[in-house]
Amino acid sequence: NPQSEIPELYNKCPFVVCIEFSHLFSHENVPRVFCGCVVVYQALRDWVAIESDSANVLKRPDLHRMMEATAQKLRQMGGAVELVDIGEQELPDGQTLALPKVVSAQFGNDTRKHTVCVYGHVDVQPAKKEDGWATDPYNLTDINGNLYGRGASDNKAPVLAWIHAVEAYQALNMELPVNVKFVIEGMEETGSNGLDVMIVAQRDTFFSDVDYIIISDCGWLSRRPALTYGTRGNCYFTAEVQGPKQDLHSGVYGGVVIEPMTDLIGILDSLISPSGTILVPGIREAVAPLSDEEWKMYQDIQFDVDSYKNKIGVDQLMYNNKVDVLAHLWRYPTVSIHGIEGVTAKFSIRQVPNMDPQVVKNQVTDYLHSVFAKRKSPNKLKVTMVIGAKPWLADTEHPLYEAGKAAVKRVFDTDPDLIREGGTIPIAKTFQDVTGKDIIMMPIGGFDDGLHSQNEKMSRYNYIEGTKLFVTFLDEVSKIKKTSV
């Protein structure tokens, strides 16, 4: 009797969890009560222990080890696994370094079933104990029901939760309701080098029979579960003012030389008003209008402005009501000035429908040159767009999202918030443009997980209930009517 044995096993090993799935299925051939015992916490501990920092080239052996560990986990489950070579990375000094291979895997190939492809990544942001972590970032630590460690939420636990979802079906000797494929990379935190090329190369092979793509590389907005249906794009610029051929002492030359830094500050000040209005002509005019349906959707979302202010440590925002705050976080463009090195500034403009990065590039370049010309400076201005990532938006009425809503309702007994992300997840747009497949973002990370920050964590609750959500979602996807092409 697993229900009597597993609690004793759990007491002996806190990294073994009993997941109760009986209420998640309605099939007649499924026993009324059963349990699946899946080793979940130990798997996450093992993965967090690997310092798979993709930004640090000295950690590249660890990153390769992480990809091998991921592939081995999927092989042990009986998946058809491949480590896909995506080439080399060119370093600033001209040297080259092997990129971590992309792990692809497949479970099931029944042509009568839908096929889903789960995307995730197992590389992480840099982390050191001395940066302000309360615990060792690479030793998964359980404190009050929260599992602290670098990559716990972004994105190792969500990837493992999907793997555990497949394992749960296997542990119960149940056939997967859909075919499941995985694409797991190791360079997401530094721009997904090489992944775009791999997707294009395998569009007509690995991705040819995929019906839906699932991304779980995001988080909830509040304590209510969420489905994400949009992300902003990003145009990232540098602006460099070139002046005297050498550094000049301010005491010796100040007062007679037209200084490049003064010019640079002047043009940066022309990008945005104190109230947050973007001053570049054409930017605001390109934005898709806020519809009545979207306004109503924002009204229904669980979000408290005062709590949000407290969380980020500010006394005042540019907007005071929930709808305005959410709209400007998700569906309006922004200008952010990131820093100045020497006399080169870095700034970005987040993209939203119906903006086009190439048009924005021209608008920003022309505008800054016109502002600079009015200064009548002898210095030279160079504007460069380094990144031009498009926004991504899905249809929340699509059957894939209806399946997501149903899964959330079955597991959490509540309707999900339908939210957008203010940040950029370029791979979503790449999948959409290259494969033409429908995409859903299904997060399980908490709103307070501290992604990219000190003390990143994933709660036990989100990890386990998230695994149940994924199990149930696969069941719901199987109910989508399969159409002939």
Side-chain angles (χ1 to χ4, degrees):
N1 181 356
Q3 286 182 298
S4 62
E5 294 171 359
I6 289 175
E8 180 182 353
L9 179 62
Y10 178 79
N11 290 331
K12 290 180 179 178
C13 178
F15 296 105
V16 177
V17 65
C18 167
I19 304 178
E20 171 68 65
F21 291 113
S22 60
H23 68 292
L24 302 182
F25 297 94
S26 58
H27 303 309
E28 292 181 0
N29 62 333
V30 178
R32 181 174 176 80
V33 177
F34 57 82
C35 293
C37 182
V38 182
V39 181
V40 293
Y41 296 123
Q42 187 60 47
L44 182 57
R45 166 171 283 203
D46 292 342
W47 278 25
V48 166
I50 301 176
E51 301 183 27
S52 50
D53 175 0
S54 55
N56 185 349
V57 295
L58 299 178
K59 297 289 185 182
R60 190 56 53 89
D62 294 292
L63 196 49
H64 291 311
R65 186 159 61 95
M66 185 71 247
M67 305 317 296
E68 289 286 351
T70 305
Q72 183 61 19
K73 173 69 176 174
L74 294 165
R75 285 193 200 100
Q76 290 171 346
M77 295 164 54
V81 180
E82 183 180 357
L83 282 160
V84 183
D85 190 338
I86 55 173
E88 295 182 326
Q89 174 186 4
E90 184 173 347
L91 304 178
D93 62 4
Q95 297 186 58
T96 58
L97 191 65
L99 288 165
K101 294 178 180 178
V102 173
V103 178
S104 67
Q106 180 170 351
F107 294 85
N109 58 0
D110 189 335
T111 57
R112 297 168 298 175
K113 298 178 180 179
H114 288 300
T115 298
V116 302
C117 179
V118 176
Y119 162 83
H121 69 91
V122 289
D123 63 315
V124 299
Q125 286 280 316
K128 296 179 181 178
K129 178 76 159 57
E130 54 267 30
D131 290 339
W133 282 73
T135 61
D136 179 350
Y138 295 106
N139 180 20
L140 190 70
T141 305
D142 187 343
I143 302 175
N144 298 325
N146 290 317
L147 306 171
Y148 289 90
R150 175 55 90 218
S153 185
D154 183 19
N155 184 232
K156 291 181 178 180
V159 170
L160 277 169
W162 274 112
I163 291 173
H164 295 323
V166 173
E167 282 185 301
Y169 279 97
Q170 294 177 334
L172 296 165
N173 294 315
M174 292 178 63
E175 186 177 326
L176 280 168
V178 296
N179 305 312
V180 180
K181 291 187 173 186
F182 288 92
V183 170
I184 303 170
E185 66 158 321
M187 290 295 287
E188 190 274 344
E189 299 291 1
T190 54
S192 296
N193 314 50
L195 186 61
D196 287 8
V197 174
M198 177 246 180
I199 293 171
V200 172
Q202 300 205 15
R203 175 183 56 196
D204 299 324
T205 52
F206 182 84
F207 293 103
S208 63
D209 61 346
V210 170
D211 297 295
Y212 309 117
I213 294 173
I214 310 164
I215 299 173
S216 297
D217 189 17
C218 39
W220 298 353
L221 182 66
S222 64
R223 297 192 185 281
R224 182 188 293 174
L227 298 176
T228 304
Y229 68 94
T231 63
R232 290 192 292 196
N234 192 20
C235 286
Y236 194 95
F237 292 88
T238 62
E240 178 185 6
V241 177
Q242 300 168 337
K245 63 181 180 180
Q246 63 189 50
D247 291 342
L248 301 177
H249 192 291
S250 62
V252 177
Y253 299 99
V256 296
V257 172
I258 299 174
E259 299 183 23
M261 185 63 77
T262 304
D263 285 338
L264 187 61
I265 297 297
I267 64 169
L268 291 177
D269 187 52
S270 73
L271 289 170
I272 188 169
S273 76
S275 63
T277 302
I278 297 175
L279 303 177
V280 180
I283 297 290
R284 289 178 293 145
E285 291 79 1
V287 178
L290 179 67
S291 66
D292 292 340
E293 292 79 11
E294 193 176 357
W295 184 90
K296 175 65 167 56
M297 190 183 297
Y298 289 1
Q299 281 280 20
D300 294 339
I301 288 173
Q302 187 179 98
F303 180 80
D304 182 77
V305 175
D306 289 332
S307 296
Y308 179 77
K309 289 192 293 186
N310 290 335
K311 175 188 171 185
I312 62 177
V314 300
D315 297 323
Q316 180 181 334
L317 299 172
M318 288 184 178
Y319 309 94
N320 297 317
N321 69 76
K322 178 172 71 174
V323 172
D324 282 341
V325 170
L326 293 178
H328 284 86
L329 282 174
W330 296 342
R331 56 103 58 226
Y332 288 122
T334 63
V335 168
S336 296
I337 298 172
H338 303 290
I340 297 174
E341 295 181 8
V343 285
T344 300
K346 300 175 181 180
F347 66 94
S348 66
I349 299 180
R350 293 286 173 175
Q351 306 291 285
V352 299
N354 297 315
M355 297 169 68
D356 182 288
Q358 288 304 313
V359 174
V360 172
K361 173 186 175 181
N362 295 332
Q363 290 169 333
V364 171
T365 302
D366 292 346
Y367 174 68
L368 289 184
H369 278 291
S370 70
V371 171
F372 189 77
K374 293 176 183 177
R375 299 182 65 85
K376 301 187 184 304
S377 171
N379 299 320
K380 307 297 181 185
L381 173 65
K382 180 182 179 183
V383 179
T384 306
M385 188 173 79
V386 181
I387 297 172
K390 295 180 179 179
W392 167 77
L393 196 63
D395 176 10
T396 58
E397 301 300 318
H398 188 280
L400 189 60
Y401 275 83
E402 294 300 329
K405 297 171 192 175
V408 170
K409 185 72 172 178
R410 286 170 65 183
V411 175
F412 295 98
D413 195 26
T414 187
D415 294 320
D417 277 334
L418 298 175
I419 66 174
R420 289 161 75 161
E421 282 275 339
T424 303
I425 305 179
I427 196 63
K429 187 64 176 173
T430 299
F431 276 130
Q432 189 176 62
D433 290 346
V434 174
T435 70
K437 310 298 183 180
D438 294 303
I439 301 168
I440 186 172
M441 290 193 182
M442 179 170 281
I444 62 169
F447 70 97
D448 57 351
D449 278 357
L451 279 65
H452 292 202
S453 186
Q454 297 91 342
N455 304 315
E456 178 185 349
K457 60 87 178 171
M458 168 68 76
S459 73
R460 281 177 175 263
Y461 175 81
N462 282 54
Y463 191 19
I464 299 306
E465 297 306 306
T467 303
K468 294 180 186 179
L469 174 64
F470 294 163
V471 169
T472 312
F473 181 63
L474 295 180
D475 183 53
E476 289 292 340
V477 170
S478 72
K479 301 174 186 177
I480 299 175
K481 184 176 181 181
K482 197 169 176 65
T483 57
S484 302
V485 178

